[in-house]
């Protein structure tokens, strides 16, 4: 969902965004990517949207996805939850020694 926070993207652009944000640690295969898209869409977190104007035939065939209002709320809540976990970890003296 974080990949869609900057705006609507098609599947391949989502894959590229995830790989860039994780410095290549997370690499999504097509099956994993489109299964995740289907789950997020079924949960009402993302929806298909109009993309850029088609430049060529390939662009016309791409499906673009965007966050729904529910998706935005869920993403914000998850970012807060993960931030709290990171804050808790950083407050642990045994961990803090290795983080500085």
């Amino acid at each position: 969902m974080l990949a869609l926070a900057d705006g609507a993207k098609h599947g391949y652009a989502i894959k590229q965004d995830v790989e860039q944000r994780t410095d290549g640690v997370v690499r999504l295969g097509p099956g994993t990517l489109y299964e995740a898209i289907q789950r997020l869409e079924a949960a009402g977190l993302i929806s298909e949207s109009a993309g850029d104007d088609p430049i060529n035939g390939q662009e016309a065939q791409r499906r673009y996805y965007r966050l729904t209002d529910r998706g935005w709320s869920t993403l914000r809540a998850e970012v807060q939850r993960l931030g709290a976990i990171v804050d808790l970890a950083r407050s642990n003296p045994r961990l803090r020694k290795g983080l500085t």
Side-chain angles (χ1 to χ4, degrees):
M1 289 189 331
L2 185 57
L4 296 176
D6 295 329
K9 290 185 177 77
H10 54 78
Y12 185 70
I14 294 170
K15 173 189 177 343
Q16 289 178 309
D17 187 273
V18 169
E19 289 177 7
Q20 180 203 7
R21 287 179 191 265
T22 64
D23 292 326
V25 173
V26 177
R27 300 181 64 88
L28 298 173
T32 303
L33 172 66
Y34 288 101
E35 184 178 316
I37 287 172
Q38 286 177 342
R39 283 194 322 265
L40 291 168
E41 200 170 18
L45 301 173
I46 66 172
S47 65
E48 202 169 320
S49 80
D52 296 333
D53 290 332
I55 298 168
N56 57 40
Q58 185 179 16
E59 285 292 318
Q61 294 175 6
R62 288 186 170 158
R63 292 182 178 176
Y64 284 75
Y65 302 93
R66 67 168 183 79
L67 289 170
T68 62
D69 290 342
R70 183 176 180 188
W72 276 109
S73 296
T74 301
L75 178 58
R76 286 185 190 105
E78 186 66 4
V79 167
Q80 286 181 331
R81 186 184 73 79
L82 291 172
I85 291 169
V86 169
D87 290 344
L88 183 61
R90 285 186 175 145
S91 71
N92 183 307
R94 294 176 79 185
L95 286 174
R96 198 172 35 227
K97 284 173 67 175
L99 296 174
T100 56

